[in-house]
């Protein structure tokens, strides 16, 4: 059985870090464009990379929020696919894990 208080604390800290990262990315994306055409081209490439990174961060945020919801509804630590208990070592390494290692491996192969 996972330590729910410790897991919740870790997840909340991770969520705060991810939200701060997303705020920084959004701030960088909202900067006014450079009047220099060459610099503008570089900024456009940078913006595309930042937009991709923002998407990844948003997915991580959603994953952490789902894990926090599982803590609240007392299903945290149970695989959402097969219903088996998720190993405590897996939850220690990935507190947002929703799948046991067997289901996660089968998902990777699919």
């Amino acid at each position: 059985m996972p330590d729910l208080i410790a897991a919740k604390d870790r997840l909340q800290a991770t969520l705060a870090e991810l939200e701060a990262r997303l705020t920084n990315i959004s701030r960088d994306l909202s900067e006014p464009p450079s009047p220099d055409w060459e610099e503008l081209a570089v900024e456009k490439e940078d913006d595309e990379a930042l937009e991709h990174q923002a998407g990844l961060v948003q997915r991580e945020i959603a994953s952490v929020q789902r894990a926090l919801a599982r803590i609240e509804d007392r299903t945290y630590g149970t695989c959402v696919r097969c219903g088996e208990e998720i190993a405590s070592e897996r939850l220690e390494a990935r507190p947002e894990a929703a799948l046991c290692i067997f289901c996660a491996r089968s998902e990777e192969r699919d």
Side-chain angles (χ1 to χ4, degrees):
M1 185 66 168
D3 180 354
L4 296 180
I5 294 172
K8 187 174 183 177
D9 289 345
R10 280 184 65 195
L11 288 164
Q12 287 174 330
T14 300
L15 183 60
E17 177 188 326
L18 290 168
E19 288 173 339
R21 191 179 315 167
L22 188 58
T23 298
N24 289 336
I25 291 170
S26 297
R27 185 191 64 237
D28 290 346
L29 286 170
S30 67
E31 289 182 2
S34 173
D36 179 2
W37 286 102
E38 289 177 7
E39 184 64 29
L40 184 61
V42 172
E43 287 175 3
K44 186 156 181 71
E45 286 181 25
D46 290 346
D47 285 353
E48 289 174 8
L50 284 173
E51 288 168 354
H52 177 72
Q53 188 176 17
L56 294 174
V57 171
Q58 288 170 333
R59 283 193 291 276
E60 287 183 60
I61 287 172
S63 180
V64 170
Q65 289 172 331
R66 286 190 300 270
L68 287 167
R70 288 193 302 277
I71 288 174
E72 292 304 313
D73 69 16
R74 303 197 184 283
T75 60
Y76 183 79
T78 302
C79 179
V80 298
R81 180 174 290 160
C82 71
E84 294 294 319
E85 186 175 332
I86 299 173
S88 59
E89 295 85 8
R90 178 161 170 75
L91 290 173
E92 189 66 33
R94 295 202 57 197
E96 74 282 1
L99 300 173
C100 68
I101 193 69
F102 301 108
C103 289
R105 285 183 180 154
S106 70
E107 188 172 90
E108 288 174 1
R109 284 180 260 158
D110 293 342

